[in-house]
Amino acid sequence: MKARTKFEKQVATSNVRLTAVAPKVFEWGVRNLITHPAFRVPSGRTTCGDCGHKFIHKGKGKYVVCPKCGHELEIKDTFKRSHKEGTYFAILDTIDGLQVERVFLLSAYFKKGNSISVGHNEVCRLWLNAKGQTALTSKVRTLGCYRDCFNWGSTIELRNMTEVHHIIANTWHYPKYKAIPKLKRNGMKGTLPDCHPFDLMKGLLNDARIETLMKARNQKAVKYFIDNPRMLDKCWNTHKIATRHGYKIEDYSLWCDLITLLEKCGRDTRSPKYICPTNLRAEHDFWLDKSTADEERRRKAEQLLKAKKKEEDFFKNKSCFFGIVIKDNDIEISVLDSIEAYKAEGEAMHHCVFKCEYYDKENSVILSAHDKNGNRIETIEFSLTEYKVVQSRGVCNKNTEYHDRIVNLVNANAHRFIKARATA
Ligand SMILES: [Zn+2]
């Protein structure tokens, strides 16, 4: 990619001026970011992955300290003789008034009986100027089964920033870092919050809200809002009010969820009564339940409204059957004659006669069977093409002891439906 803008030209120039990184930086990375194994066989013979020293260790713990080199090792119960570890690792540096995040792939190879061998490869550099403009220089990506495959022989030069670069740059950085004056002025001092380093620096240059949080040393908030930028837009004003009232947020994710729920339930998200709860978890759960119930009610109302619209058709097609009552000594079966009746039947019998819109089915009519005391027994679908019962079901779609009797009784009265339709 050719440098077009003034900024890109500046990056291209500074890119080749960057120098090698001191070995102690990678030593820090290997010590702190890589898991160091101890190979152990069932007899208890253990080999230190770092120095190759052999010793006997039978403990049940996950870790052991090598008696020779003193390194903490993670025990691997295995007959394998080698192990590979790798991780991305970044350093934050400055050059020619530009800020840069240099991303390396750090790798370690452990072979039983040998000392650890380590290596590192610089993958890409993410650039920023004081105005918050960004650019990327990188090795070229190759197409492989993993998205982060790079051609290690290629040079690091100006390329288009992709999602892959952004993802691998979200990694641990060497704790000693350099920052351009504007970043320092905007609050980049001391230990940084545990979030995407490049997004943090970009946020500090482009977003006064991040600057404010950083200067207030509110690392929890910075971390959460850098990782969830949409929540920052949504909750910022509410956050300001809560802070003004001296409210301390322990769990940002839970608190922002609470604000989202309050909004959904139509509550005032400027009122300390709602946004500064003593028991955040309990308040969150309360509004979650409320919002779920509201949602359910809204859904049901919508369904009823939809059904009402279909009511006209329903009356046109089915009213000729209204009033048909079929009974014997114990059972009384009648045609459902309104959408509400379908709804009541579906709710009482816990089946889908209403939800699946049986009232809208052109070629069937639905009847409800009751006992002498008026208790519902089964719901019957009677076909208007075959003039017989196609299904009859009790509570939760189960058959009852009256099932056969009901089916026979309705089928024996099929002629009444034919007649009703003929005279309609
Ligand atoms: Zn050792």
Side-chain angles (χ1 to χ4, degrees):
M1 185 177 130
K2 226 174 124 62
R4 280 183 223 96
T5 64
K6 192 180 155 206
F7 170 56
E8 282 174 357
K9 282 177 189 155
Q10 204 184 350
V11 166
T13 310
S14 300
N15 180 54
V16 292
R17 291 190 359 93
L18 277 174
T19 52
V21 175
K24 65 168 186 195
V25 173
F26 299 108
E27 282 160 21
W28 180 91
V30 170
R31 203 166 49 244
N32 291 283
L33 307 177
I34 298 255
T35 308
H36 298 248
F39 302 91
R40 182 167 73 177
V41 292
S43 68
R45 246 180 108 73
T46 307
T47 311
C48 170
D50 278 8
C51 70
H53 178 63
K54 292 184 173 66
F55 54 99
I56 298 290
H57 176 74
K58 290 185 170 167
K60 282 209 166 66
K62 212 177 158 194
Y63 298 95
V64 63
V65 172
C66 169
K68 192 174 168 207
C69 68
H71 291 174
E72 188 177 66
L73 311 164
E74 190 179 299
I75 297 170
K76 295 204 179 291
D77 287 307
T78 176
F79 284 110
K80 274 196 190 154
R81 305 195 49 85
S82 66
H83 180 72
K84 236 176 144 172
E85 284 272 341
T87 182
Y88 286 104
F89 166 59
I91 64 167
L92 311 179
D93 205 352
T94 59
I95 183 167
D96 307 330
L98 297 174
Q99 185 73 40
V100 59
E101 178 185 352
R102 300 176 71 174
V103 183
F104 296 83
L105 182 63
L106 204 58
S107 58
Y109 184 66
F110 304 91
K111 192 162 193 285
K112 216 166 172 175
N114 293 7
S115 325
I116 176 177
S117 81
V118 292
H120 59 82
N121 249 313
E122 188 161 9
V123 184
C124 63
R125 300 163 180 164
L126 289 76
W127 298 82
L128 267 171
N129 66 6
K131 286 186 200 154
Q133 287 177 296
T134 63
L136 172 96
T137 55
S138 168
K139 285 195 185 330
V140 69
R141 273 175 64 204
T142 55
L143 292 174
C145 51
Y146 299 105
R147 294 197 307 165
D148 57 337
C149 285
F150 292 88
N151 177 354
W152 298 116
S154 64
T155 52
I156 295 185
E157 54 187 82
L158 214 52
R159 301 183 201 279
N160 286 322
M161 177 117 55
T162 67
E163 197 195 352
V164 172
H165 296 108
H166 187 257
I167 291 169
I168 64 176
N170 189 8
T171 185
W172 296 276
H173 65 87
Y174 186 56
K176 281 189 189 153
Y177 61 84
K178 282 191 196 152
I180 53 172
K182 190 164 180 203
L183 276 172
K184 280 191 207 159
R185 203 174 62 223
N186 289 4
M188 189 161 157
K189 279 180 198 136
T191 310
L192 301 181
D194 174 26
C195 59
H196 197 306
F198 193 70
D199 284 354
L200 171 68
M201 296 189 291
K202 214 165 63 179
L204 274 174
L205 292 171
N206 292 331
D207 194 330
R209 299 171 298 184
I210 296 295
E211 186 187 332
T212 305
L213 292 172
M214 199 69 177
K215 283 181 175 163
R217 302 302 295 160
N218 189 346
Q219 296 219 343
K220 265 187 195 168
V222 175
K223 176 181 163 40
Y224 180 77
F225 288 129
I226 287 289
D227 291 342
N228 302 275
R230 253 191 273 163
M231 280 299 185
L232 180 58
D233 292 337
K234 189 183 196 132
C235 300
W236 177 246
N237 286 328
T238 310
H239 186 264
K240 269 202 298 201
I241 296 164
T243 311
R244 214 179 299 139
H245 280 83
Y247 187 64
K248 204 166 174 315
I249 300 162
E250 288 300 329
D251 184 336
Y252 264 84
S253 162
L254 198 64
W255 184 79
C256 288
D257 281 352
L258 169 68
I259 304 309
T260 309
L261 291 167
L262 288 169
E263 253 175 27
K264 264 194 184 167
C265 295
R267 291 308 185 277
D268 183 4
T269 52
R270 288 164 307 177
S271 159
K273 181 178 126 190
Y274 293 120
I275 64 173
C276 305
T278 323
N279 186 339
L280 176 58
R281 166 68 60 186
E283 203 68 5
H284 168 275
D285 291 354
F286 172 81
W287 290 105
L288 178 63
D289 286 349
K290 174 127 183 42
S291 144
T292 313
D294 282 0
E295 196 69 38
E296 178 73 0
R297 210 171 308 128
R298 206 160 27 234
R299 209 178 48 77
K300 279 188 173 164
E302 253 168 40
Q303 199 166 26
L304 194 62
L305 201 71
K306 204 169 108 196
K308 285 266 180 201
K309 281 187 193 141
K310 292 191 170 165
E311 196 154 42
E312 210 176 307
D313 285 343
F314 171 71
F315 277 110
K316 204 171 84 195
N317 298 328
K318 307 288 165 69
S319 59
C320 58
F321 307 111
F322 293 175
I324 292 181
V325 179
I326 302 162
K327 51 183 166 183
D328 67 9
N329 290 334
D330 307 304
I331 311 167
E332 185 173 302
I333 305 163
S334 54
V335 174
L336 295 183
D337 58 3
S338 69
I339 306 272
E340 268 87 3
Y342 275 75
K343 186 164 179 283
E345 183 82 4
E347 276 170 8
M349 303 292 276
H350 302 287
H351 56 41
C352 66
V353 72
F354 174 68
K355 284 192 201 131
C356 294
E357 304 183 348
Y358 272 74
Y359 48 82
D360 200 33
K361 265 180 103 171
E362 201 182 333
N363 288 318
S364 67
V365 62
I366 302 294
L367 300 98
S368 173
H370 294 73
D371 67 11
K372 270 193 292 196
N373 302 318
N375 302 313
R376 295 176 209 265
I377 315 172
E378 288 196 10
T379 309
I380 304 110
E381 181 183 9
F382 183 81
S383 163
L384 295 174
T385 48
E386 299 167 70
Y387 286 99
K388 65 173 195 186
V389 173
V390 283
Q391 57 176 337
S392 179
R393 298 182 190 271
V395 172
C396 299
N397 286 323
K398 289 192 187 92
N399 287 348
T400 64
E401 54 180 309
Y402 297 101
H403 179 74
D404 293 339
R405 218 165 126 188
I406 292 170
V407 173
N408 292 335
L409 197 58
V410 177
N411 282 341
N413 283 273
H415 61 277
R416 295 176 62 186
F417 293 90
I418 300 173
K419 197 176 156 200
R421 202 174 224 189
T423 54

